[in-house]
């Protein structure tokens, strides 16, 4: 098998040099103990984002600095090993000269079909009966200003759903989970309305917390304020524009958004105080945890090992056989 994508690189190819077209996402200049400058370059394609060392940085500094951010480049990579981990070293780097390749080719995209996700979102919107709650969704998602953004944004920086349409996929997944609980526990229509609305809005603030792809990482608003407060703040300001929005629904929906991380140490300023909010929190946690385990196992290409390495957010390794 030849290597076509970054995710194909594994220990079978040790000491080989391969050539790939990738997107350059970040250059970090560092200094060795011998005072020589080198670069740690983050490269990505649709399959994976990874780092490679570039020891010849000093000699080629001008060329690297000339690259625009998100330049499409052709690299020769040597596949090596350092302390038991694969290490990539850039042997040659240059601008890719193929105009038919665009940045979109290098952005990881949700594997779920977009149209079916849109339909799913509409299905849950239709299940909401109370007009004032529907109006809130109209103002925050189903409108010109936010709909496209909501449907294309990432849901996380690393860990889970960090791809094009990630926020939509994650939101939909949580909607399906909460819906199962709502049906099994026979919640009332009033509770179902509130649950769907708070679920759709729970991570809405991520559209402001994260930069838009292909940029990755947090915005200044994200670092200073975070998606929990941002989501609650915008929700409150939209609620105030809606006539006849009752105080009980307002409190329950806002508490659901503010409490969805479930505990103060995970960034929620208040605990979930309604049954709807607790269901949302548990469903949200399940969606994030399961996705992070699955993608971690997918990235693990070491077939000799029975277990993955330890997944930091879960505190354990996973059995692969
Ligand atoms: Fe969240
Ligand atoms: Fe979430």
């Amino acid at each position: 098998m030849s290597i076509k994508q970054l995710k194909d690189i594994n220990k079978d190819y040790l000491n080989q040099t391969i050539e790939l077209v990738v997107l350059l996402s970040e250059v970090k200049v560092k200094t060795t103990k011998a005072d020589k400058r080198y670069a740690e370059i983050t490269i990505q394609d649709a399959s994976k984002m990874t780092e490679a060392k570039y020891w010849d940085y000093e000699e080629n500094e001008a060329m690297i600095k000339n690259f625009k951010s998100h330049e499409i480049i052709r690299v020769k990579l040597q596949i090596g090993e350092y302390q038991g981990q694969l290490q990539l070293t850039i042997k040659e780097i240059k601008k890719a000269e193929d105009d038919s390749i665009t940045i979109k080719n290098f952005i990881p995209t949700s594997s779920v079909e977009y149209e079916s996700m849109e339909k799913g979102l509409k299905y849950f919107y239709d299940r909401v009966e109370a007009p004032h709650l529907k109006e809130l969704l109209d103002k925050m998602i189903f409108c010109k200003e936010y709909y496209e953004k909501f449907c294309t944004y990432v849901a996380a920086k690393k860990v889970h759903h960090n791809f094009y349409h990630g926020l939509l996929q994650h939101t939909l997944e949580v909607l399906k989970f909460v819906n199962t609980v709502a049906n099994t526990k026979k919640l009332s229509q009033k509770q179902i309305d509130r649950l769907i609305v708070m679920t759709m809005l729970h991570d809405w603030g991520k559209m402001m917390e994260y930069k838009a792809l292909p940029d990755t990482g947090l915005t200044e608003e994200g670092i200073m304020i975070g998606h929990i407060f941002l989501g609650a703040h915008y929700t409150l300001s939209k609620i105030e524009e809606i006539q006849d929005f009752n105080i009980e629904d307002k409190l329950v929906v806002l508490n659901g958004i503010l409490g969805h991380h479930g505990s103060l140490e995970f960034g929620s300023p208040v605990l979930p105080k309604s049954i709807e909010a607790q269901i949302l929190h548990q469903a949200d946690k399940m969606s994030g945890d399961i996705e992070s385990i699955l993608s971690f196992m997918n990235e693990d290409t070491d077939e000799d090992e029975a277990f993955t390495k330890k997944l930091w957010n879960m505190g354990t390794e996973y059995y692969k056989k």
Side-chain angles (χ1 to χ4, degrees):
M1 191 184 92
S2 69
I3 293 181
K4 295 201 180 68
Q5 286 191 303
L6 288 170
K7 78 163 179 1
D8 300 333
I9 297 173
N10 62 46
K11 285 189 177 158
D12 295 345
Y13 299 94
L14 263 187
N15 302 320
Q16 292 191 25
T17 302
I18 55 157
E19 200 172 310
L20 282 177
V21 176
V22 294
L23 188 72
L24 178 136
S25 350
E26 206 185 346
V27 179
K28 275 190 223 144
V29 180
K30 302 202 162 171
T31 314
T32 64
K33 282 187 191 130
D35 232 17
K36 184 177 156 58
R37 283 180 306 136
Y38 68 99
E40 257 173 31
I41 297 185
T42 309
I43 51 177
Q44 71 175 82
D45 61 17
S47 75
K48 195 178 174 172
M49 179 183 265
T50 190
E51 255 177 22
K53 304 253 190 260
Y54 187 44
W55 302 111
D56 304 326
Y57 175 75
E58 256 180 21
E59 298 82 332
N60 298 292
E61 189 170 5
M63 172 190 68
I64 303 281
K65 284 200 166 150
N66 244 330
F67 286 160
K68 47 185 195 294
S69 68
H70 305 299
E71 188 80 73
I72 299 166
I73 53 170
R74 185 176 287 277
V75 280
K76 277 200 181 134
L77 292 168
Q78 190 178 39
I79 303 166
E81 200 176 13
Y82 181 69
Q83 294 181 339
Q85 300 273 37
L86 279 177
Q87 190 179 64
L88 300 177
T89 306
I90 296 177
K91 288 288 167 194
E92 231 181 86
I93 183 168
K94 60 180 180 209
K95 238 170 119 161
E97 300 295 351
D98 185 348
D99 292 341
S100 66
I101 318 170
T102 67
I103 288 183
K104 262 202 125 179
N105 298 68
F106 300 96
I107 295 175
T109 301
S110 163
S111 55
V112 185
E113 199 206 355
Y114 177 53
E115 265 173 35
S116 77
M117 289 198 284
E118 266 192 306
K119 266 192 207 144
L121 194 69
K122 180 76 175 35
Y123 166 82
F124 285 108
Y125 171 79
D126 288 340
R127 282 205 62 187
V128 177
E129 286 184 5
H132 62 290
L133 289 173
K134 269 195 131 81
E135 197 179 337
L136 178 61
L137 292 178
D138 288 338
K139 283 176 180 289
M140 293 200 62
I141 296 177
F142 298 90
C143 59
K144 243 189 166 165
E145 204 179 346
Y146 297 122
Y147 185 72
E148 210 194 305
K149 232 179 154 186
F150 186 83
C151 290
T152 53
Y153 237 73
V154 292
K157 190 168 61 158
K158 274 185 179 140
V159 198
H160 73 91
H161 299 94
N162 60 338
F163 40 71
Y164 211 58
H165 303 308
L167 177 60
L168 175 61
Q169 187 185 325
H170 168 65
T171 304
L172 206 57
E173 205 169 280
V174 184
L175 280 165
K176 287 181 192 162
F177 293 164
V178 302
N179 191 42
T180 302
V181 181
N183 291 337
T184 311
K185 294 311 230 180
K186 302 199 170 38
L187 296 196
S188 68
Q189 184 61 42
K190 184 170 94 176
Q191 289 170 316
I192 290 174
D193 276 12
R194 290 168 166 177
L195 184 54
I196 290 176
V197 171
M198 67 169 75
T199 303
M200 280 200 190
L201 299 179
H202 83 281
D203 275 340
W204 186 97
K206 290 202 172 178
M207 291 191 283
M208 277 135 203
E209 185 176 42
Y210 293 111
K211 293 180 183 164
L213 286 170
D215 282 323
T216 55
L218 296 164
T219 61
E220 287 181 8
E221 258 181 311
I223 294 168
M224 299 296 281
I225 303 170
H227 75 276
I228 295 188
F229 178 85
L230 285 166
H233 169 71
Y234 277 84
T235 304
L236 178 59
S237 67
K238 296 294 176 196
I239 285 176
E240 281 171 350
E241 292 170 17
I242 299 169
Q243 269 183 1
D244 304 325
F245 203 106
N246 66 68
I247 178 81
E248 295 81 8
D249 284 350
K250 171 171 139 180
L251 294 180
V252 172
V253 169
L254 287 175
N255 173 261
I257 296 169
L258 290 168
H260 81 265
H261 283 198
S263 64
L264 308 190
E265 57 272 37
F266 283 111
S268 272
V270 285
L271 296 182
K273 301 277 181 186
S274 67
I275 188 65
E276 297 91 319
Q278 185 57 234
I279 294 170
L280 166 61
H281 160 57
Q282 307 232 3
D284 181 46
K285 184 167 166 15
M286 179 145 85
S287 167
D289 286 354
I290 300 298
E291 178 65 29
S292 77
I293 299 168
L294 287 174
S295 65
F296 191 64
M297 291 177 84
N298 257 337
E299 275 182 22
D300 190 311
T301 49
D302 196 342
E303 281 162 16
D304 304 334
E305 295 289 330
F307 289 93
T308 63
K309 300 229 158 44
K310 191 163 159 179
L311 176 57
W312 65 270
N313 60 312
M314 301 304 291
T316 191
E317 59 280 325
Y318 286 90
Y319 193 55
K320 300 190 290 186
K321 284 190 175 172

